[in-house]
Amino acid sequence: MTDPNAIRANLEAVHARIALAARACGRAPADITLIAVSKTHPPDAVQAALAAGQTVFGENRVQEAAEKFPRAGARLHIIGGLQTNKAKEAVRIADAIDSLDRVALADAIERAADTLGRCPALLVQVNIGDEAQKSGVATAEAEGFIRAMRARFGARLEGLMCIPPEGADPAPYFTRLREMADAHGLTVRSMGMSGDFETAIRHGATHVRVGTAIFGARPASP
Ligand SMILES: *Cc1c(COP(=O)(O)O)cnc(C)c1O
């Protein structure tokens, strides 16, 4: 059940934590964008967050996002592994796709962008822990892939995204992503979730993707 007051209070608390973490390492809180990850939560939860002033949202399924975000006024990031056959719809509805990780997907995004006359901002997702089950380009291939995406999409390629391995100290992974982004002159580093966003900010996150700390626990995935 959605409690708008709880969502508002959670958003305030997360913003306060972001500000504290940023200032503690000499960064400006305004340099960090909070992406509110609303996946699996109902439209009225999104509504409550919008009413509380949140404007940037993350969803990991294109279909669900299309149903929940018909609206102007919200900026939508697609943050989940993206199937090639969903690329066109993603290009249609998203302001950013944070999970570009293979050439076939780049092909589909490029075709859709040509057809629709719009191209979202793009982030390359790096499988920073080289985990078999995770999406993202392997670290060994990241260099070449980022270069190729830069050549293809130009300034629409804005940065990198990663999800460190669960249970490990995320700091070295965040540092690695930051170094990769710097090496390519990319300014956006999307890293850090409810459990580790302060660490991510310390290590250079420009975007943190926070779900649970704002909207509460998600129902267990099927
Ligand atoms: C679900 C999800 C998040 C948010 O995770 P929380 O732990 O609920 O904050 C962030 N990033 C990605 C890619 C996700 O899929």
Side-chain angles (χ1 to χ4, degrees):
M1 231 183 19
T2 299
D3 175 353
N5 292 326
I7 289 173
R8 178 182 293 272
N10 290 344
L11 272 167
E12 280 171 12
V14 169
H15 276 295
R17 286 169 61 187
I18 289 172
L20 206 62
R23 290 206 188 89
C25 60
R27 302 184 61 198
D31 291 347
I32 292 136
T33 299
L34 172 61
I35 301 174
V37 178
S38 49
K39 65 186 186 197
T40 77
H41 294 286
D44 61 352
V46 170
Q47 201 50 52
L50 277 163
Q54 178 65 30
T55 55
V56 187
F57 292 84
E59 288 279 343
N60 64 352
R61 290 177 190 230
V62 175
Q63 189 56 44
E64 182 182 339
E67 285 159 14
K68 274 151 76 175
F69 288 88
R71 45 173 331 101
R75 285 184 58 79
L76 177 65
H77 287 242
I78 295 294
I79 60 172
L82 183 56
Q83 289 172 271
T84 304
N85 65 5
K86 302 273 166 50
K88 186 168 182 189
E89 182 70 351
V91 167
R92 193 177 69 75
I93 65 171
D95 296 289
I97 295 173
D98 294 15
S99 49
L100 173 57
D101 64 356
R102 60 197 189 280
V103 170
L105 180 58
D107 291 344
I109 289 172
E110 192 173 33
R111 271 196 307 275
D114 284 346
T115 305
L116 298 171
R118 81 189 300 270
C119 186
L122 301 171
L123 305 188
V124 165
Q125 181 177 355
V126 179
N127 186 354
I128 201 75
D130 288 316
E131 296 172 278
Q133 78 282 12
K134 258 194 196 142
S135 28
V137 61
T139 54
E141 285 149 30
E143 178 82 34
F145 186 71
I146 293 165
R147 217 186 286 282
M149 294 304 103
R150 187 24 116 29
R152 191 190 285 221
F153 293 106
R156 292 317 280 154
L157 181 68
E158 293 192 347
L160 306 181
M161 185 271 247
C162 77
I163 309 170
E166 225 168 293
D169 174 7
Y173 297 101
F174 292 150
T175 299
R176 180 110 195 258
L177 193 82
R178 196 222 166 103
E179 288 169 354
M180 278 185 192
D182 285 350
H184 292 273
L186 296 168
T187 55
V188 172
R189 301 172 294 262
S190 172
M191 52 193 201
M193 320 201 305
S194 289
D196 57 14
F197 68 84
E198 283 129 325
T199 306
I201 289 167
R202 231 171 2 254
H203 294 280
T206 60
H207 291 60
V208 293
R209 309 177 308 269
V210 178
T212 308
I214 298 170
F215 297 107
R218 286 179 291 273
S221 44

